């Protein structure tokens, strides 16, 4: 039988900074859904990735003195490491710098142009670079970007425009006729009243003022607007626009795009309009989740709170962090992040309720029966109620997971866990243990607890992928437990054989922990200040005026490259023999990415001749070749017209 497909996506992240715990929120939720659907037998395609183009990335890379590609490569590495650490089970990872994506976006842009959906005009308006969004005066809040509150810039350039305005009515109809298209419902009114009812304007979809993006392949100098580039990932990752569209045909339309609330607008207006223009089916659902709020604002650099997901996962365990994110914040609403709240959830829900239930159950089977329950077991009067609650819990949890209401699902599971703890107190196994004639009754009670825990271990698995195994190992269950086995109470073999283990969630000493966090936060704040100072110093250097004497200290001459070769074991360096008047100097330069030795042999270049000699990769360099760089480009500086080498530049 063919499995039903389920295609789910996260937004692709801007690799502009290290990811914080807020970023992982959305990916953890998407992962929980993907795991749940897999457990229910779906053929799941879970897509995530990185959105690597745009002016913002170009600027940041410049500030760091590296090319945008070098910059994003580094961050993407850490993003992938984080997802590995957090057990994110994505099936595919797209980078918008991937060749196949670039080509497919060019194809999409051209197709829209050929269909008359895109036309050329002049854009004059306001642009928020950090958000990569265009605004009009009236969109601004206190003269600043309505999304992030930062200053906007005036831009005027020849651009291509997408005929977004003509889709206004179709998109209103889409949102009104298909309430399931955008959830939660509150976001629908916001889109209709704030953006659609006032009428959409055509959208500027190309830029010419920077280079780091996908070039419009039929008009040099134009770069595809980063949101058109980014949104297209959902189809290009499935092979749309490539030679093999089989995955696209299988998985598209997406079943759900999970996105943060601030980008719902792009996903429910611009994205459907682009798809309509391409005559493609629309995604079935956009789920707009809320934000994890810290210090009263959308999560940013923290004061006194540690928001680094790597630190948190290493300290408390991945499942504890995942549990907190999914339990604390009702999916769709905003929620607060504090380290206190995280620790308190770990102590109360995980260590106290769940951890205790497991260690008490295993401990009693061990103590009273030497680790293995006897086959002879007697029902307790309360068992009926426990079994009924268990069946109801499974039903409710499935319903909540289906609706992506993870917090409700977990809350439901924990109600059952607490009920089992209460069942221990009510049945008082320690009293039964004293009475030889009640052994079967005692074994029956402990079996109910173990079986309850088995079912809990199945229900929590989408949210907490590591814990079920730890729990089952202690209960003597080898291997996986199929989801559907949670529907039947009593599948665990009667003669349960347990193995006592460590506490799966050790209690945390709150006071000690908060002091450690404060220390860590101070360390992080210091590091951040240091980086800020470095950046400031660099900017200062760039802006600082010098006088003619300062300039006079640098001796520059025209040189002619006689010979050039690559430096061994380096893919960045070239070493050139440069004739400067009567002398020949050896100069090493980091230009191998842009020039091959043959390209520059014979070229006249500008050389700084009074720079102290240094060794680079063990090769002596007696000067420096001047070069100009912008974004990902680099060009050697040369003189205008022919002049003898050795000529002094002043
Ligand atoms: N690159 C775009 C998405 C393009 S999708 C075609 C983008 N990237 S982002 O890195 O800025 O944000 C990625 C996701 O992280 C967004 O859904 C955003 O809402 C989410 N979050 C960023 N900070 C967050 C919190 N503090 N809390 C919850 N989600 C957060 O937007």
């Amino acid at each position: 039988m063919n499995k039903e497909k389920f295609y789910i996506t996260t937004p692709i992240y801007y690799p502009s900074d290290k990811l914080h715990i807020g970023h992982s929120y959305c990916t953890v939720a998407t992962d929980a859904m993907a795991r749940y659907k897999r457990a229910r037998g779906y053929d799941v395609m879970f897509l995530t990735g990185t959105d690597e183009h745009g002016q913002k990335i170009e600027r940041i890379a410049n500030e760091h003195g590296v090319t945008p590609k070098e910059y994003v490569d580094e961050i993407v590495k850490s993003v992938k490491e984080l997802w590995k650490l957090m057990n994110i089970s994505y099936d595919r990872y797209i980078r918008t710098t991937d060749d196949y994506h670039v080509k497919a976006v060019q194809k999409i842009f051209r197709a829209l142009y050929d269909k008359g959906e895109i036309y050329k005009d002049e854009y004059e308006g306001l642009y928020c670079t950090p958000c990569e969004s265009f605004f009009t005066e009236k969109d601004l809040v206190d003269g600043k970007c309505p999304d992030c509150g930062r200053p906007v810039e005036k831009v005027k350039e020849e651009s291509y425009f997408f005929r977004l305005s003509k889709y206004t009515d179709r998109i209103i109809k889409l949102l009104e006729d298909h309430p399931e298209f955008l959830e939660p419902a509150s976001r629908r009114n916001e889109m209709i009243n704030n953006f659609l009812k006032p009428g959409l304007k055509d959208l500027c979809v190309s830029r010419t003022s920077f280079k780091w993006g996908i070039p419009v392949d039929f008009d040099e100098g134009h770069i595809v607007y980063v949101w058109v580039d980014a949104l297209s990932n959902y189809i290009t990752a499935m092979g749309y626009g490539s030679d093999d569209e089989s995955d696209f045909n299988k998985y598209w339309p997406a079943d759900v795009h999970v996105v943060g609330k601030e980008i719902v607008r792009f996903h429910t207006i611009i994205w459907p309009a682009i798809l309509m223009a391409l005559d493609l089916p629309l995604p079935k659902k956009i789920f707009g989740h809320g934000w994890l709020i810290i210090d009263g604002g959308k999560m940013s650099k923290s004061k006194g709170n540690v928001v680094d997901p790597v630190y948190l996962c290493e300290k408390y365990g991945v499942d504890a962090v995942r549990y907190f994110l999914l339990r604390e914040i009702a999916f769709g609403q905003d929620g607060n992040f504090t380290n206190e709240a995280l620790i308190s959830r770990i102590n109360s829900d995980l260590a106290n309720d769940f951890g205790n239930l497991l260690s008490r159950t295993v401990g009693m089977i061990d103590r009273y029966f030497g680790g293995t329950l006897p086959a002879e077991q007697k029902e307790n009067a309360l068992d009926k109620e426990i079994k009924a609650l268990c069946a109801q819990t499974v039903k409710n949890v499935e319903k909540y997971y289906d609706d992506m209401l993870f917090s409700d699902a977990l809350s439901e599971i924990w109600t059952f866990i607490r009920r089992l703890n209460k069942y221990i107190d009510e049945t008082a196994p320690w009293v039964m243990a004293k009475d030889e004639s009640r052994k079967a009754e005692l074994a029956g009670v402990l079996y109910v607890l173990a079986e309850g825990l088995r079912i809990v271990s199945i229900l929590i698995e989408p949210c907490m992928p590591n814990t079920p195994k730890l729990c089952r190992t202690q209960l003597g269950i080898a291997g996986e437990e199929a989801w559907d086995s949670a529907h039947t109470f009593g599948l665990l073999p009667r003669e349960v054989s347990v193995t006592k283990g460590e506490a799966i969630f050790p209690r945390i000493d709150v006071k000690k922990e908060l002091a450690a966090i404060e220390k860590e936060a101070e360390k992080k704040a210091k590091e951040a200040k240091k980086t800020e100072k470095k950046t400031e110093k660099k900017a200062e250097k760039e802006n600082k005026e010098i006088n003619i004497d300062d300039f006079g200290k640098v001796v520059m001459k025209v040189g002619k490259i006689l010979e050039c070769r690559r430096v061994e074991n380096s893919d960045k360096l070239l070493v050139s023999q440069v004739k400067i008047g009567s002398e020949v100097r050896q100069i090493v330069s980091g230009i191998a990415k842009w020039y091959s030795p043959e390209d520059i042999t014979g070229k006249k270049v500008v050389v700084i001749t009074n720079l102290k000699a240094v060794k680079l990769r063990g090769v002596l360099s007696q000067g420096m070749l001047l070069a100009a760089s912008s974004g990902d480009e680099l060009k050697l500086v040369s003189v205008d017209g022919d002049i003898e080498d050795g000529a002094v530049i002043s």
Side-chain angles (χ1 to χ4, degrees):
M1 198 180 72
N2 253 352
K3 284 180 172 182
E4 199 178 326
K5 67 92 187 173
F6 185 78
Y7 178 24
I8 184 167
T9 68
T10 70
I12 46 172
Y13 291 84
Y14 284 128
S16 55
D17 207 349
K18 271 182 82 174
L19 298 191
H20 53 60
I21 191 72
H23 288 115
S24 28
Y25 171 59
C26 170
T27 309
V28 164
T30 309
D31 183 63
M33 193 61 180
R35 285 176 183 274
Y36 169 67
K37 285 287 180 180
R38 280 190 207 109
R40 302 305 313 265
Y42 283 77
D43 169 4
V44 171
M45 171 55 75
F46 169 12
L47 174 72
T48 190
T50 27
D51 180 5
E52 304 181 13
H53 291 126
Q55 195 167 3
K56 180 162 97 180
I57 306 275
E58 187 178 277
R59 276 193 196 164
I60 298 174
N62 270 341
E63 278 165 23
H64 284 75
V66 291
T67 65
K69 186 65 171 50
E70 283 168 345
Y71 181 75
V72 292
D73 280 352
E74 264 316 295
I75 305 233
V76 167
K77 245 194 253 162
S78 67
V79 172
K80 285 188 171 171
E81 273 163 22
L82 175 63
W83 294 157
K84 196 167 165 208
L85 172 70
M86 295 199 81
N87 260 319
I88 303 300
S89 61
Y90 60 82
D91 297 293
R92 211 163 280 185
Y93 190 101
I94 183 167
R95 299 185 57 177
T96 54
T97 49
D98 286 339
D99 209 35
Y100 71 88
H101 171 77
V102 171
K103 284 199 185 113
V105 168
Q106 286 175 327
K107 226 166 157 181
I108 290 170
F109 200 92
R110 181 187 280 270
L112 292 172
Y113 181 72
D114 289 346
K115 289 175 116 190
E117 297 284 347
I118 281 179
Y119 60 92
K120 202 169 181 177
D121 203 341
E122 181 157 87
Y123 179 79
E124 191 172 357
L126 304 162
Y127 194 72
C128 175
T129 304
C131 294
E132 305 280 12
S133 302
F134 297 103
F135 294 105
T136 62
E137 281 297 342
K138 77 172 183 5
D139 295 327
L140 304 186
V141 176
D142 299 331
K144 307 235 168 82
C145 169
D147 286 345
C148 72
R150 280 175 278 208
V152 290
E153 297 172 49
K154 273 214 160 104
V155 295
K156 182 175 178 181
E157 52 193 55
E158 188 186 61
S159 298
Y160 284 93
F161 285 80
F162 171 56
R163 295 189 192 282
L164 183 63
S165 59
K166 82 178 210 202
Y167 292 98
T168 309
D169 292 341
R170 271 179 79 181
I171 292 172
I172 292 180
K173 200 165 156 30
L174 165 72
L175 292 177
E176 285 179 344
D177 293 356
H178 298 277
E180 75 290 350
F181 178 72
L182 171 55
E183 280 181 19
S186 53
R187 311 236 185 270
R188 196 162 43 236
N189 296 338
E190 188 191 335
M191 289 303 119
I192 295 178
N193 297 334
N194 298 2
F195 297 103
L196 288 153
K197 285 272 159 77
L200 295 171
K201 288 203 184 54
D202 286 354
L203 178 73
C204 177
V205 287
S206 79
R207 305 285 314 274
T208 52
S209 51
F210 65 96
K211 293 246 154 39
W212 182 238
I214 300 183
V216 173
D217 61 355
F218 53 89
D219 197 346
E220 209 188 319
H222 285 266
I223 297 292
V224 176
Y225 174 42
V226 69
W227 269 102
V228 172
D229 166 355
L231 288 162
S232 305
N233 94 88
Y234 300 130
I235 53 175
T236 64
M238 294 302 112
Y240 179 77
S242 76
D243 295 340
D244 179 3
E245 293 194 333
S246 52
D247 279 346
F248 174 74
N249 294 329
K250 178 171 178 190
Y251 292 109
W252 190 257
D255 291 84
V256 55
H257 292 315
V258 181
V259 303
K261 62 179 182 182
E262 85 285 18
I263 57 172
V264 161
R265 183 162 62 94
F266 296 93
H267 285 81
T268 55
I269 298 176
I270 298 176
W271 183 222
I274 292 175
L275 291 165
M276 286 171 185
L278 290 167
D279 292 318
L280 290 176
L282 306 184
K284 292 186 195 156
K285 185 190 295 301
I286 313 293
F287 196 104
H289 67 74
W291 283 340
L292 203 58
I293 308 279
I294 186 164
D295 296 332
K298 187 184 159 192
M299 185 157 312
S300 61
K301 299 266 147 49
S302 72
K303 320 173 199 124
N305 266 306
V306 177
V307 294
D308 176 0
V310 176
Y311 173 86
L312 295 173
C313 288
E314 282 173 355
K315 201 151 178 67
Y316 306 117
V318 174
D319 277 9
V321 174
R322 288 178 62 123
Y323 173 79
F324 172 81
L325 292 174
L326 296 169
R327 173 67 184 90
E328 186 79 6
I329 302 137
F331 204 50
Q333 289 165 27
D334 289 347
N336 276 313
F337 175 86
T338 64
N339 291 110
E340 281 103 319
L342 170 63
I343 296 168
S344 134
R345 278 268 176 219
I346 294 176
N347 278 347
S348 66
D349 299 7
L350 300 181
N352 257 8
D353 296 339
F354 185 32
N356 267 349
L357 176 64
L358 179 67
S359 65
R360 286 169 95 187
T361 304
V362 171
M364 287 190 287
I365 297 177
D366 193 56
R367 202 171 321 127
Y368 303 139
F369 294 103
T372 305
L373 287 184
E376 199 193 325
Q377 294 174 9
K378 207 170 146 198
E379 273 216 11
N380 186 282
L382 290 169
D383 290 4
K384 225 178 169 176
E385 183 211 326
I386 298 286
K387 285 180 197 171
L389 179 66
C390 184
Q392 192 56 46
T393 303
V394 175
K395 216 164 142 195
N396 293 350
V397 166
E398 287 177 351
K399 166 95 187 58
Y400 286 134
Y401 276 152
D402 282 332
D403 293 340
M404 301 189 62
L405 299 174
F406 307 106
S407 181
D408 294 299
L410 289 170
S411 157
E412 198 75 22
I413 301 169
W414 256 255
T415 302
F416 181 57
I417 289 176
R418 287 189 195 109
R419 181 67 194 90
L420 289 178
N421 271 322
K422 201 166 150 223
Y423 172 79
I424 301 183
D425 300 336
E426 287 166 348
T427 53
W430 46 91
V431 177
M432 295 179 188
K434 287 186 188 138
D435 185 344
E436 203 46 45
S437 69
R438 297 185 74 188
K439 280 275 161 165
E441 210 183 323
L442 174 61
V445 164
L446 297 180
Y447 176 82
V448 165
L449 292 170
E451 174 62 350
L453 276 163
R454 180 189 72 86
I455 292 176
V456 165
S457 82
I458 296 169
L459 300 182
I460 60 169
E461 196 147 19
C463 300
M464 306 167 82
N466 289 334
T467 308
K469 192 162 177 247
L470 298 177
C471 177
R472 287 175 204 152
T473 307
Q474 298 205 19
L475 292 170
I477 306 169
E480 308 282 302
E481 285 293 284
W483 183 275
D484 284 348
S485 74
H487 292 152
T488 314
F489 196 97
L491 290 184
L492 186 68
R494 285 278 157 186
E495 283 151 285
V496 177
S497 221
V498 300
T499 315
K500 261 182 95 172
E502 304 264 296
I504 49 171
F505 293 106
R507 262 192 86 79
I508 295 170
D509 179 333
V510 183
K511 244 188 172 165
K512 234 164 111 187
E513 202 56 30
L514 289 178
I517 284 170
E518 194 128 317
K519 222 166 146 195
E520 181 67 19
E522 271 168 26
K523 195 175 119 202
K524 295 234 174 231
K526 263 192 200 148
E527 279 167 12
K529 233 190 186 142
K530 237 186 189 169
T531 324
E532 211 173 285
K533 269 209 174 127
K534 249 192 193 164
T535 321
E536 268 171 20
K537 261 196 182 153
K538 202 168 164 241
E540 222 173 74
K541 198 172 135 201
E542 274 172 13
N543 296 331
K544 199 171 168 190
E545 290 184 347
I546 57 167
N547 60 32
I548 192 76
D549 293 339
D550 294 323
F551 179 67
K553 286 181 191 156
V554 182
V555 179
M556 285 183 281
K557 291 184 182 172
V558 173
K560 183 174 178 186
I561 299 182
L562 301 178
E563 266 177 57
C564 178
R565 64 177 171 81
R566 290 184 186 278
V567 170
E568 252 176 59
N569 298 328
S570 163
D571 47 11
K572 292 203 174 127
L573 301 179
L574 295 184
V575 54
S576 312
Q577 304 302 319
V578 187
K579 179 173 173 294
I580 307 162
S582 55
E583 61 171 334
V584 174
R585 292 206 187 182
Q586 171 166 293
I587 297 177
V588 179
S589 343
I591 55 173
K593 194 173 157 201
W594 296 272
Y595 293 97
S596 67
E598 307 78 64
D599 290 336
I600 59 168
T601 305
K603 250 196 195 312
K604 287 228 171 112
V605 289
V606 174
V607 186
I608 300 182
T609 56
N610 62 338
L611 207 60
K612 209 169 160 197
V614 285
K615 273 194 172 171
L616 296 170
R617 289 270 170 149
V619 181
L620 184 70
S621 182
Q622 306 161 294
M624 183 170 125
L625 304 189
L626 286 192
S629 65
S630 165
D632 204 17
E633 258 188 288
L634 179 138
K635 299 269 181 243
L636 281 172
V637 173
S638 56
V639 280
D640 177 29
D642 202 19
I643 190 161
E644 279 296 292
D645 57 79
V648 175
I649 293 166
S650 56

